Amino acid sequence: MPRTESANQEIREQREAQIRATAAHLFAHNGYVGTRIEDIAHAVSMSKGLLYHYFGRKATLYTTLVDRASRGTVQLFQESLTGPGTTAERLQRLVRQIVEGLTEQPDMFMVVMQAFMSDAVPIEAHEKATRFARQTQDLMSAFIQEGQEVNEVIAGNPEQLALLLGSCIQGLAVSQAMEGRVPPITNTLIHLFTRRCAG
Amino acid sequence: MPRTESANQEIREQREAQIRATAAHLFAHNGYVGTRIEDIAHAVSMSKGLLYHYFGRKATLYTTLVDRASRGTVQLFQESLTGPGTTAERLQRLVRQIVEGLTEQPDMFMVVMQAFMSDAVPIEAHEKATRFARQTQDLMSAFIQEGQEVNEVIAGNPEQLALLLGSCIQGLAVSQAMEGRVPPITNTLIHLFTRRCAG
Amino acid sequence: MPRTESANQEIREQREAQIRATAAHLFAHNGYVGTRIEDIAHAVSMSKGLLYHYFGRKATLYTTLVDRASRGTVQLFQESLTGPGTTAERLQRLVRQIVEGLTEQPDMFMVVMQAFMSDAVPIEAHEKATRFARQTQDLMSAFIQEGQEVNEVIAGNPEQLALLLGSCIQGLAVSQAMEGRVPPITNTLIHLFTRRCAG
Amino acid sequence: MPRTESANQEIREQREAQIRATAAHLFAHNGYVGTRIEDIAHAVSMSKGLLYHYFGRKATLYTTLVDRASRGTVQLFQESLTGPGTTAERLQRLVRQIVEGLTEQPDMFMVVMQAFMSDAVPIEAHEKATRFARQTQDLMSAFIQEGQEVNEVIAGNPEQLALLLGSCIQGLAVSQAMEGRVPPITNTLIHLFTRRCAG
DNA sequence: TATGAATGAGGATTCATTCAT
DNA sequence: AATGAATGAATCCTCATTCAT
């Protein structure tokens, strides 16, 4: 008796998820060009042929990762923007959620960063990452401005502050990915951008 | 009649400098594996063969860049630590110098970052970059602690603050390298880590 | 559906044998450095890539050949030493077997000789060949001494006689490999080292 | 005051001799393809450019060596053939002279051997070596036959005996070149081919 | 769905040879 | 005569991708 349609579907999804996770890890550590299809196949205990069955090409696999990571983070932003609470509360929640996500899946962050920073990746991935960077930078900037208006965020050019905050987050992702741990730094990070003196 | 010793010496030095600058740029944008020797040779308008005449192998060229950039930055740290002025003044000066350097040579920064973050680089380069990261992190941490003791730097775990400050600097390097410009952000950056309220 | 395990195994073994034979021939005639992987690939009608699939590197392929040839000949020696018959009979049998083998596979002999004589071969191959040369020289020497003790072999320093006998054999291998034929010389050769006068 | 014409000439000849000796050594040990012009230049403490001044191309240098070595040996043969003494005496003298030469300049012998055995050498060198091999084989063969006629040389097919004797000589050259020494084997060697029993 | 044999274009490296000085 | 900078063709080796089974 053949497996049911849905059982097959489920297996397939599990496999894909496994491939994505493994590929993200390898890409994160070795870069796009430095990661071989064979490495990925070996890491998921599967033949090259089968891997190709799931992801037609290396570029597709990579771009998919960038896409998913980007979407996930952007969604966090959007939820924070429209969610409940004061501006400061929502900004804090956002930062917390990002740091949390980054702690659990640093590889995905690394891949996006890398796709942004490198020209030696599939062009589509690079463009996606660039759009993502701009988008989050803008959203963060708006967020900060809003926070400044209610006196909850430190003074300064919002775009510049957003750049710095974004840099801090990326730095944490690198720490997590490279050294396997990030200190429980979120409070310090938030504190850094929070208005501390009565004004 | 052969060229004089010094004439050859001069040719060598010019060529090497030219190669280093160009290679740094390409490595910064395409990564170690993604940069082809042929690209570098073409960019400096010389044959592959000649490039190999100067740097026996791709790995050597790359590692040399990491080494030079690391040394340069470490030296800035050391000068700042032992230089004149209050802690805050010296820390500020350090940050300014780094940002200045990074504005002028973002590629070198990128290469070190990349060598730190990637496993797909010559192992020697990776190790150098890792040592560099630890070293600057420690120096910065000590610096911050010193600043805190004289109430000139924001409160918080010095190591964590150093990590964040370092991340900000890296973020600026990325901005400069990728978008070709960094906003005049140094003051904001310094402000972020400076104690702002009487207390 | 993938090929069965054994089908793959069979393909592998056939291919490997095919590669070894062809490679031996080319190496024998052009030397290690003078033989291009592409030549071998072309001669066995397969792509370079596939050749590398089977033998990771040129050096491995070469060293494998040296190893096999050495082992084969050493085994002949050992069988002769422990086999039945008088000393003279066994020595004669050994020489006959070697010459026979050399007539059928002169290339293998040439490769070992070459690996012994040249420094421009993989070091492992050179060392194997050197060990082989010493080993067979010693075995032959002992054999000759034994033959002298029962008055069946010509008088003289056994080591020197072994060297000369070995040289003759090598000379035959060269003849066979270069000119494609060796005269039916075995009897003459044996006669040369056999005691001919009543003593 | 410029050097005199003849002084220049002398320097030139010395240099050339030095180059030949060094090149012979390197070619003998590393083969034609495995020896780099730069290696030779370095070994004679001279720039590549200057080396090219003396020998226009690698092939020329190599072929010159083969040529000189061949001629030298052929000359020995001819002198022996026409010299004084009985056949046995002249044959012995020839063998002694060859072994003597081979002891002093094993590299030259190796180069000729190699040029004969390998197809990966300049075609001219290969052809010269092949002609040389044939020529000496024939001369030796005739010599042996002559010796047999006066009952001074062992019985057997002269060509085959010549092949064996030649092989022995080559084997000695290899010993000398590879291990730096040949045992004082000449008597044994001569004894091998000499008629020993009254009859 | 699953495997790994097979291909070939691409990239690192070497080296004979030339040439300006 | 002397040097070593400069070139580029040749060669090793890798790896994404395809395909027969």
Side-chain angles (χ1 to χ4, degrees):
Chain A
M1 190 162 71
R3 271 180 291 227
T4 63
E5 190 65 19
S6 67
N8 269 331
Q9 190 60 26
E10 200 177 318
I11 289 177
R12 188 178 177 99
E13 272 165 27
Q14 279 181 18
R15 292 250 213 202
E16 287 185 359
Q18 187 196 7
I19 293 170
R20 277 199 304 272
T22 305
H25 187 70
L26 291 172
F27 281 136
H29 285 264
N30 301 313
Y32 178 70
V33 198
T35 302
R36 299 175 318 159
I37 287 289
E38 180 121 31
D39 294 336
I40 302 175
H42 183 258
V44 293
S45 306
M46 159 184 310
S47 68
K48 273 181 299 181
L50 191 50
L51 195 67
Y52 270 91
H53 182 75
Y54 286 106
F55 292 93
R57 14 196 76 251
K58 194 182 177 183
T60 308
L61 176 50
Y62 190 80
T63 307
T64 300
L65 294 177
V66 173
D67 191 49
R68 287 190 150 238
S70 303
R71 281 184 204 284
T73 305
V74 167
Q75 197 175 3
L76 282 186
F77 267 87
Q78 285 168 343
E79 288 169 7
S80 298
L81 280 169
T82 59
T86 69
T87 300
E89 281 167 4
R90 287 181 293 121
L91 180 51
Q92 282 193 23
R93 196 187 318 135
L94 173 60
V95 172
R96 278 183 208 291
Q97 283 180 327
I98 293 179
V99 173
E100 200 175 297
L102 151 180
T103 307
E104 284 163 15
Q105 304 197 352
D107 298 331
M108 295 297 269
F109 269 78
M110 291 291 283
V111 170
V112 179
M113 244 177 93
Q114 185 182 96
F116 171 64
M117 285 172 26
S118 172
D119 288 348
V121 296
I123 178 102
E124 231 185 306
H126 184 67
E127 286 171 352
K128 248 185 236 291
T130 304
R131 275 199 301 280
F132 167 76
R134 262 203 282 279
Q135 204 173 351
T136 51
Q137 162 77 13
D138 290 349
L139 289 169
M140 188 68 94
S141 185
F143 221 143
I144 284 173
Q145 193 162 14
E146 197 182 319
Q148 288 173 330
E149 281 163 11
V150 295
N151 251 342
E152 289 171 334
V153 167
I154 199 175
N157 179 317
E159 290 202 4
Q160 295 184 4
L161 289 173
L163 174 59
L164 294 176
L165 179 49
S167 298
C168 287
I169 289 171
Q170 278 176 21
L172 298 186
V174 174
S175 276
Q176 175 69 21
M178 289 301 114
E179 308 179 16
R181 59 185 184 71
V182 183
I185 207 174
T186 325
N187 287 332
T188 307
L189 175 55
I190 290 170
H191 180 64
L192 214 62
F193 290 86
T194 305
R195 195 142 195 290
R196 279 153 279 171
C197 309
Chain B
M1 216 68 76
R3 280 195 207 82
T4 63
E5 189 73 12
S6 66
N8 269 327
Q9 188 63 24
E10 202 177 319
I11 287 179
R12 275 199 90 88
E13 272 165 27
Q14 277 182 21
R15 288 291 201 192
E16 286 183 4
Q18 188 187 5
I19 292 169
R20 276 199 305 273
T22 306
H25 187 70
L26 290 172
F27 280 136
H29 285 265
N30 301 314
Y32 178 69
V33 198
T35 302
R36 296 174 343 191
I37 285 289
E38 179 124 31
D39 294 336
I40 303 175
H42 184 258
V44 292
S45 306
M46 81 176 53
S47 66
K48 275 179 297 177
L50 189 51
L51 215 156
Y52 274 93
H53 184 70
Y54 289 109
F55 292 93
R57 15 197 76 253
K58 194 181 175 183
T60 307
L61 176 50
Y62 190 79
T63 306
T64 300
L65 294 177
V66 173
D67 191 50
R68 289 191 147 234
S70 302
R71 282 184 203 285
T73 304
V74 167
Q75 198 175 1
L76 282 186
F77 267 87
Q78 285 168 342
E79 288 170 7
S80 299
L81 279 169
T82 59
T86 68
T87 300
E89 281 167 4
R90 287 181 293 121
L91 180 52
Q92 281 194 26
R93 194 186 319 133
L94 174 60
V95 172
R96 278 184 208 290
Q97 283 179 328
I98 292 179
V99 173
E100 200 176 295
L102 149 181
T103 307
E104 283 164 16
Q105 303 196 352
D107 298 330
M108 294 297 268
F109 270 76
M110 291 292 283
V111 169
V112 179
M113 244 177 93
Q114 184 182 100
F116 171 65
M117 286 173 25
S118 173
D119 287 349
V121 297
I123 180 113
E124 235 186 300
H126 184 67
E127 286 171 353
K128 248 185 236 290
T130 304
R131 276 199 300 280
F132 168 76
R134 263 203 280 278
Q135 204 174 350
T136 50
Q137 163 77 14
D138 290 348
L139 290 169
M140 187 68 94
S141 185
F143 221 143
I144 283 174
Q145 194 163 13
E146 198 184 317
Q148 288 173 330
E149 281 163 10
V150 296
N151 253 340
E152 289 172 334
V153 166
I154 199 174
N157 178 317
E159 292 203 4
Q160 296 184 5
L161 289 173
L163 175 59
L164 293 176
L165 179 49
S167 298
C168 286
I169 290 172
Q170 278 177 21
L172 298 185
V174 174
S175 276
Q176 175 69 19
M178 290 300 116
E179 307 179 16
R181 60 185 184 73
V182 178
I185 207 172
T186 324
N187 287 333
T188 306
L189 174 56
I190 290 169
H191 180 63
L192 214 60
F193 291 84
T194 306
R195 197 144 192 288
R196 278 153 279 170
C197 308
Chain C
M1 214 70 74
R3 281 195 205 82
T4 63
E5 190 72 12
S6 66
N8 270 326
Q9 189 62 25
E10 202 176 319
I11 289 179
R12 275 199 90 90
E13 272 165 27
Q14 278 183 20
R15 289 290 201 193
E16 286 182 5
Q18 189 186 6
I19 293 170
R20 275 198 306 271
T22 307
H25 187 70
L26 291 172
F27 280 138
H29 286 265
N30 301 313
Y32 178 69
V33 199
T35 303
R36 297 174 343 192
I37 284 289
E38 180 125 29
D39 294 336
I40 303 175
H42 185 259
V44 291
S45 306
M46 83 177 51
S47 66
K48 274 178 299 177
L50 188 52
L51 215 155
Y52 275 95
H53 185 70
Y54 289 108
F55 293 93
R57 14 197 77 251
K58 194 181 174 182
T60 306
L61 176 50
Y62 190 80
T63 306
T64 300
L65 295 177
V66 174
D67 191 49
R68 289 190 148 236
S70 303
R71 282 184 203 284
T73 304
V74 167
Q75 199 175 2
L76 282 186
F77 268 87
Q78 286 168 341
E79 288 169 8
S80 299
L81 280 169
T82 60
T86 69
T87 300
E89 281 167 5
R90 287 182 291 119
L91 180 51
Q92 281 192 26
R93 196 187 319 133
L94 174 60
V95 172
R96 278 182 210 291
Q97 283 179 329
I98 293 180
V99 173
E100 200 176 295
L102 152 178
T103 307
E104 283 163 16
Q105 304 196 351
D107 298 331
M108 294 297 267
F109 269 77
M110 291 292 284
V111 169
V112 179
M113 245 177 91
Q114 184 183 99
F116 171 65
M117 287 173 23
S118 172
D119 288 348
V121 297
I123 178 113
E124 233 186 302
H126 184 68
E127 287 171 352
K128 246 184 237 291
T130 304
R131 275 199 301 279
F132 168 77
R134 264 204 280 278
Q135 204 174 351
T136 51
Q137 163 78 15
D138 290 348
L139 289 169
M140 188 65 96
S141 186
F143 222 143
I144 283 174
Q145 193 161 15
E146 198 183 318
Q148 289 174 330
E149 283 162 10
V150 294
N151 253 340
E152 290 172 333
V153 166
I154 198 174
N157 179 317
E159 291 202 5
Q160 295 183 6
L161 290 173
L163 175 59
L164 293 176
L165 178 50
S167 299
C168 288
I169 291 172
Q170 278 176 22
L172 299 185
V174 174
S175 276
Q176 175 70 17
M178 289 301 116
E179 307 177 17
R181 59 185 184 73
V182 177
I185 207 172
T186 324
N187 286 332
T188 307
L189 175 56
I190 289 170
H191 180 63
L192 215 61
F193 290 85
T194 305
R195 195 141 194 289
R196 278 154 279 169
C197 309
Chain D
M1 190 163 71
R3 271 180 291 228
T4 63
E5 191 64 18
S6 69
N8 270 330
Q9 190 59 25
E10 200 178 320
I11 288 177
R12 189 180 176 98
E13 271 166 26
Q14 278 180 18
R15 294 252 213 200
E16 287 185 359
Q18 186 195 9
I19 292 170
R20 277 198 305 272
T22 305
H25 187 70
L26 292 172
F27 281 136
H29 285 265
N30 301 312
Y32 177 69
V33 198
T35 303
R36 300 175 317 159
I37 287 290
E38 179 120 32
D39 293 336
I40 303 174
H42 183 258
V44 293
S45 306
M46 157 185 312
S47 68
K48 272 180 301 179
L50 190 50
L51 196 68
Y52 270 90
H53 182 74
Y54 286 105
F55 292 93
R57 15 196 76 250
K58 193 183 177 182
T60 308
L61 176 50
Y62 190 81
T63 306
T64 300
L65 294 177
V66 173
D67 191 49
R68 286 189 150 237
S70 303
R71 282 185 204 284
T73 304
V74 167
Q75 198 175 2
L76 282 186
F77 268 87
Q78 286 166 344
E79 287 169 8
S80 300
L81 280 170
T82 61
T86 68
T87 300
E89 281 168 5
R90 287 181 292 119
L91 180 52
Q92 281 194 24
R93 196 186 318 133
L94 174 60
V95 172
R96 278 184 209 290
Q97 283 179 328
I98 293 180
V99 173
E100 201 176 295
L102 151 180
T103 306
E104 283 163 17
Q105 302 196 355
D107 299 330
M108 294 298 269
F109 269 78
M110 291 291 283
V111 169
V112 179
M113 241 176 95
Q114 185 182 98
F116 171 63
M117 285 172 26
S118 172
D119 289 348
V121 296
I123 179 101
E124 231 185 306
H126 184 69
E127 287 171 353
K128 248 186 236 291
T130 303
R131 274 199 302 279
F132 167 77
R134 263 203 282 277
Q135 205 174 349
T136 51
Q137 163 77 14
D138 290 347
L139 289 169
M140 188 66 95
S141 185
F143 222 143
I144 283 174
Q145 194 163 12
E146 197 183 320
Q148 289 173 330
E149 283 163 10
V150 294
N151 251 342
E152 289 172 334
V153 167
I154 198 174
N157 179 317
E159 292 203 3
Q160 295 183 6
L161 290 172
L163 174 59
L164 293 176
L165 178 50
S167 298
C168 287
I169 290 172
Q170 278 176 22
L172 299 185
V174 174
S175 275
Q176 175 69 22
M178 289 301 114
E179 308 179 17
R181 58 185 185 73
V182 184
I185 206 173
T186 325
N187 287 332
T188 307
L189 175 55
I190 289 169
H191 180 65
L192 213 60
F193 290 85
T194 305
R195 196 141 192 290
R196 277 154 281 170
C197 309

